[in-house]
Amino acid sequence: MGSSSRCTVIVPTYNRRRLLELTLDSLARQDLHRDRFEVVVVDDGSSDDTAAAVRAFEDRLDLRYFHQPDEGYRVARARNVGIRHARGEVCVFVDSGVLLHSASLTAHLDAHAAAAEPLALNGYVYCFNLDNEDARLIRKFVDVDDVDSTIGSLARTRSWPDVREPFYERHSDDFGHLRAPWLMYWTCHASARTEQVRAIGMYDEEFRQWGGEDLDLAYRLHRDGARFAVSRRASSIHYPHDKDQGDNTASALENYRYIAEKYDTPITRLLTEEPAIRFSAFDDVIAERGLPSCADYLAQRKVSG
């Protein structure tokens, strides 16, 4: 990809009109020229007049809106709608309520252009919290009208860093050498080459509840040769919103069992172990047990079978 490549920003949403407006406003402030990116919003059946919120940005963004009926949690399908309609060489996945620094999209495109191999790239996400901890303080701290300055303050003060920061500090920002780097690829803010995402089958639409559909995609990107890394230039803020961590954890565990059974390798089976293994510790466990890579294991099983 050359320097003139384009990206498609895919934003799934459901009844989060205000959060979506914050995300779209941050996208309208990108330093990347408008003809270098498009935004595809896919509405998973909202009832809060999300369509009107999107229309308000049509004069500021190259923007398309798709609506699918409310038939339960279908974020995987929503993202696939965006992927199928993407006109950019790179897909940037962004959730409603993620506010991007004005240089984020440029950083994504620059990283993919510089990479010789396919890249699965995380954006850096400040203020990501698992159970809405510090939500009130974060809302007070974040200036939604000046995301760049807020991110600058967060970086200087080291306040509310990306929850994956200890992992990055230990393994480096280029962590593709690990045996299970896919566990840290979360598509609240991440990117990959459109051609590769389509070639590996996109998101698995069997995921019909919260959690794991991005890890499943990442696993297949890993198997297909993608290199995993994080770009701190592609920085963002995860603006707090209501969530039920208890329900999310339960549904995620069920989805992890689905992933383990779907691929059935020693590494993916670790997702079902009790007590649960922290994602950041997976590579330690893999090394301690001498587990084969998923590719090696499946190749050996194919030969022996």
Side-chain angles (χ1 to χ4, degrees):
M1 286 181 297
S3 59
S4 63
S5 58
R6 283 169 47 92
C7 65
T8 298
V9 184
I10 298 170
V11 187
T13 193
Y14 176 71
N15 283 342
R16 289 182 174 172
R17 174 174 177 162
R18 177 54 181 157
L19 292 173
L20 176 63
E21 289 172 336
L22 295 177
T23 297
L24 294 177
D25 185 65
S26 75
L27 289 169
R29 298 171 187 262
Q30 292 297 296
D31 64 11
L32 191 66
H33 194 276
R34 177 172 168 167
D35 66 4
R36 295 281 307 284
F37 73 100
E38 62 174 350
V39 179
V40 178
V41 175
V42 187
D43 185 349
D44 193 17
S46 297
S47 58
D48 63 352
D49 206 11
T50 287
V54 174
R55 286 195 297 271
F57 284 88
E58 287 178 342
D59 62 338
R60 299 174 63 191
L61 292 165
D62 180 359
L63 182 61
R64 286 181 289 162
Y65 170 78
F66 297 89
H67 179 275
Q68 60 189 28
D70 185 359
E71 297 178 1
Y73 186 91
R74 296 196 296 161
V75 70
R77 187 181 189 282
R79 290 194 178 110
N80 282 347
V81 169
I83 295 164
R84 291 188 184 99
H85 288 89
R87 296 183 293 222
E89 292 95 330
V90 172
C91 282
V92 181
F93 304 107
V94 177
D95 280 352
S96 300
V98 174
L99 288 55
L100 272 63
H101 188 283
S102 64
S104 284
L105 295 186
T106 296
H108 278 284
L109 283 180
D110 286 351
H112 284 278
E117 67 274 77
L119 186 64
L121 187 70
N122 286 339
Y124 194 88
V125 186
Y126 288 97
C127 304
F128 185 90
N129 50 25
L130 297 177
D131 199 16
N132 252 4
E133 59 270 22
D134 290 345
R136 182 182 60 82
L137 292 174
I138 291 171
R139 290 191 186 101
K140 185 177 180 180
F141 185 89
V142 174
D143 182 352
V144 297
D145 295 316
D146 195 346
V147 174
D148 287 7
S149 291
T150 300
I151 288 176
S153 296
L154 289 166
R156 284 193 303 275
T157 61
R158 299 182 178 234
S159 301
W160 299 297
D162 193 311
V163 70
R164 295 163 291 189
E165 180 60 34
F167 173 87
Y168 296 147
E169 288 182 351
R170 180 180 180 191
H171 296 291
S172 86
D173 290 355
D174 189 343
F175 53 95
H177 60 284
L178 301 178
R179 293 202 175 193
W182 47 277
L183 288 165
M184 290 298 174
Y185 183 80
W186 306 345
T187 49
C188 61
H189 180 193
S191 65
R193 292 185 182 180
T194 306
E195 182 180 13
Q196 186 181 32
V197 173
R198 288 173 175 163
I200 64 169
M202 305 187 293
Y203 286 86
D204 182 345
E205 296 182 14
E206 291 299 314
F207 287 89
R208 297 295 301 271
Q209 58 186 3
W210 187 91
E213 77 283 339
D214 47 1
L215 303 185
D216 180 82
L217 178 80
Y219 175 83
R220 286 178 282 122
L221 288 171
H222 174 59
R223 289 289 315 281
D224 196 53
R227 177 170 62 83
F228 287 75
V230 58
S231 170
R232 294 172 186 268
R233 284 181 58 214
S235 56
S236 60
I237 298 168
H238 187 280
Y239 198 76
H241 59 80
D242 293 337
K243 62 177 74 173
D244 188 326
Q245 185 59 21
D247 286 349
N248 286 351
T249 298
S251 66
L253 288 174
E254 188 173 334
N255 287 343
Y256 298 160
R257 285 192 288 270
Y258 170 70
I259 294 172
E261 293 170 4
K262 177 180 177 180
Y263 300 109
D264 192 25
T265 72
I267 290 177
T268 58
R269 288 182 209 133
L270 294 178
L271 290 168
T272 65
E273 287 214 358
E274 296 289 347
I277 301 169
R278 289 179 294 109
F279 285 177
S280 59
F282 255 63
D283 273 86
D284 292 333
V285 174
I286 292 168
E288 288 168 2
R289 300 184 187 180
L291 299 180
S293 71
C294 293
D296 290 343
Y297 174 77
L298 292 173
Q300 182 180 15
R301 190 168 67 179
K302 183 176 180 181
V303 170
S304 62

